[in-house]
Amino acid sequence: MIRTIGLAAAISLAATGAALAHAHLVSAEPAADAVVHDKPRQLTLTFSEGLEAALSGATITLAGQGEALIGNTTLKEGDGKTLIVPLLAPLGVGTYTVNWHALSKDGHATHDS
């Protein structure tokens, strides 16, 4: 009985560790809910783990006006955790929503806004 409980606890802890292995957003520039006075040229999203650049990205939308024009997303050279989203046109006044998706190097996908 005690072995069964110990095995169940070990499996539970292993599953928890796997769930924590996903790439989670750590920071963004401009930050969430920030009021920006200068028009940003890019958005940077930093994650907790290395990303697969080709399968990670973001969209930026202004309510009622559609998506902002963005270029090809890339990873910050030398770190592999920071996604660079270049803005091809300046953002106008308004509240924007950033929807991102990320695939970590270990194959786990995450997304949020």
Side-chain angles (χ1 to χ4, degrees), residues 23-107:
H24 297 283
L25 185 65
V26 174
S27 66
E29 184 60 40
D33 300 320
V35 175
V36 180
H37 299 287
D38 296 326
K39 294 178 180 176
R41 298 179 136 196
Q42 66 184 22
L43 171 68
T44 59
L45 303 171
T46 302
F47 292 86
S48 59
E49 293 190 18
L51 302 176
E52 294 290 346
L55 299 172
S56 301
T59 58
I60 303 169
T61 57
L62 175 60
Q65 296 187 22
E67 291 185 9
L69 294 174
I70 61 172
N72 292 329
T73 57
T74 59
L75 289 178
K76 182 177 178 182
E77 198 170 318
D79 102 347
K81 296 179 180 182
T82 301
L83 194 63
I84 308 294
V85 183
L87 300 170
L88 299 179
L91 299 179
V93 175
T95 301
Y96 289 84
T97 300
V98 175
N99 292 300
W100 59 264
H101 60 278
L103 182 68
S104 62
K105 289 282 187 183
D106 63 5

